[in-house]
């Protein structure tokens, strides 16, 4: 569903990404692995259209919606929530940004709350949430518009085992529904557990790329 060809991004003298070519298909989870400063977040921001100034090409081969951005759900490392209001209010806000309204919006909020395991906490202020609950809600806000491509930038940093389990279960459901997931992580055990393919990036270059089971043998 997504093809990258010869993507390059340079910040002054620093080559953040150097000639990156990748293909992403539906129904798979792709692990993106590399040290800090390797270029992972830059790559994710280019795919999600946050960074638009780069060389090379990015093509959505199945973009059936009017705007390719509509098919993307982006979950950044930073938690982007308004903590003085409830989970329901946060989801409602993001849903309206995506153009959802009325019964459609209410239905999607309830579905997402169930998926992230926060139905019974929907009317609680986010300031009272644990770190893991905030992470789950942060993911839920990016799923309201049923995106086809979900980008997760280290979503399990500092969370509890229960929240990690919810996130992994969500990823399996998304794959079953034909979504493509790009999952950046420092934890190889996570990549082994949930990813079908892995992309190892270092100093802006792809060091290894392929099926997880094959890479593990190497």
């Amino acid at each position: 569903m997504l093809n990258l060809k010869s993507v390059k991004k340079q910040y002054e003298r620093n080559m953040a990404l150097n000639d990156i070519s990748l293909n992403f298909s539906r129904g798979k989870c792709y692990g993106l692995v590399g040290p800090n400063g390797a270029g992972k977040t830059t790559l994710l921001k280019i795919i999600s259209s946050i960074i638009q100034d780069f060389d090379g090409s990015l093509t959505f081969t199945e973009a059936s919606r009017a705007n390719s951005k509509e098919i993307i759900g982006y979950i950044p490392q930073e938690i982007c929530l308004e903590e003085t209001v409830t989970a329901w209010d946060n989801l409602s806000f993001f849903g309206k940004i995506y153009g959802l309204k009325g019964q459609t919006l209410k239905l999607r909020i309830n579905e997402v709350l169930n998926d992230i395991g926060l139905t019974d906490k929907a009317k609680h202020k986010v300031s009272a949430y644990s770190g893991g609950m905030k992470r789950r809600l942060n993911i839920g806000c990016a799923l309201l518009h049923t995106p086809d491509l979900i980008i997760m930038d280290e979503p399990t940093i500092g969370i509890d085992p229960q929240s990690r389990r919810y996130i992994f279960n969500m990823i399996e459901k998304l794959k079953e529904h034909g979504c493509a997931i790009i999952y950046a992580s420092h934890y190889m055990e996570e990549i082994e557990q949930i990813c079908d393919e892995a992309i190892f990036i270092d100093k802006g270059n792809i060091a290894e790329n392929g099926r997880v089971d094959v890479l593990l043998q190497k």
Side-chain angles (χ1 to χ4, degrees), residues 186-205:
H186 284 295
Y187 305 121
M188 272 308 301
E189 66 272 15
E190 291 188 353
I191 302 298
E192 292 177 35
Q193 185 174 343
I194 62 173
C195 295
D196 303 284
E197 298 189 19
I199 303 155
F200 288 82
I201 187 169
D202 188 28
K203 297 178 181 178
N205 295 284

Side-chain angles (χ1 to χ4, degrees), residues 59-89:
T59 306
F60 287 94
T61 58
E62 307 176 8
S64 58
R65 308 191 203 188
N67 187 337
S68 61
K69 293 180 182 179
E70 295 177 5
I71 71 173
I72 299 172
Y74 177 64
I75 299 107
Q77 289 184 32
E78 300 81 10
I79 293 177
C80 302
L81 301 171
E82 177 50 64
E83 298 196 9
T84 62
V85 298
T86 67
W88 181 280
D89 291 333

Side-chain angles (χ1 to χ4, degrees), residues 15-186:
M15 183 64 74
L17 294 174
N18 183 29
D19 199 27
I20 302 294
S21 294
L22 293 166
N23 295 313
F24 299 96
S25 302
R26 288 180 173 274
K28 290 185 177 181
C29 183
Y30 297 84
L32 187 60
V33 188
N36 290 333
K40 300 190 303 297
T41 297
T42 297
L43 178 59
L44 297 182
K45 287 184 175 180
I46 286 174
I47 293 172
S48 60
S49 299
I50 294 172
I51 294 175
Q52 299 185 19
D53 178 22
F54 63 93
D55 295 320
S57 65
L58 184 154
T59 306
F60 287 94
T61 58
E62 307 176 8
S64 58
R65 308 191 203 188
N67 187 337
S68 61
K69 293 180 182 179
E70 295 177 5
I71 71 173
I72 299 172
Y74 177 64
I75 299 107
Q77 289 184 32
E78 300 81 10
I79 293 177
C80 302
L81 301 171
E82 177 50 64
E83 298 196 9
T84 62
V85 298
T86 67
W88 181 280
D89 291 333
N90 273 274
L91 290 167
S92 178
F93 172 77
F94 280 99
K96 289 173 182 176
I97 287 178
Y98 291 124
L100 303 177
K101 56 186 177 181
Q103 285 301 119
T104 301
L105 176 58
K106 290 181 180 179
L107 178 62
R108 279 301 297 151
I109 290 175
N110 283 321
E111 289 173 344
V112 167
L113 284 168
N114 181 65
D115 288 341
I116 61 178
L118 293 175
T119 299
D120 60 336
K121 306 289 186 182
K123 299 298 184 179
H124 293 198
K125 286 187 177 181
V126 175
S127 58
Y129 279 19
S130 67
M133 291 164 67
K134 291 176 184 177
R135 284 280 174 192
R136 281 146 57 189
L137 179 58
N138 204 45
I139 293 172
C141 290
L143 300 180
L144 282 160
H145 62 306
T146 59
D148 297 319
L149 173 65
I150 297 94
I151 298 170
M152 298 183 170
D153 194 356
E154 302 189 38
T156 61
I157 291 178
I159 68 170
D160 56 277
Q162 181 187 31
S163 292
R164 182 176 282 107
R165 186 166 61 251
Y166 270 108
I167 292 172
F168 288 1
N169 289 340
M170 270 191 287
I171 289 172
E172 291 301 324
K173 288 181 181 179
L174 291 166
K175 286 166 58 177
E176 290 172 5
H177 287 120
C179 297
I181 301 101
I182 304 175
Y183 187 96
S185 177
H186 284 295

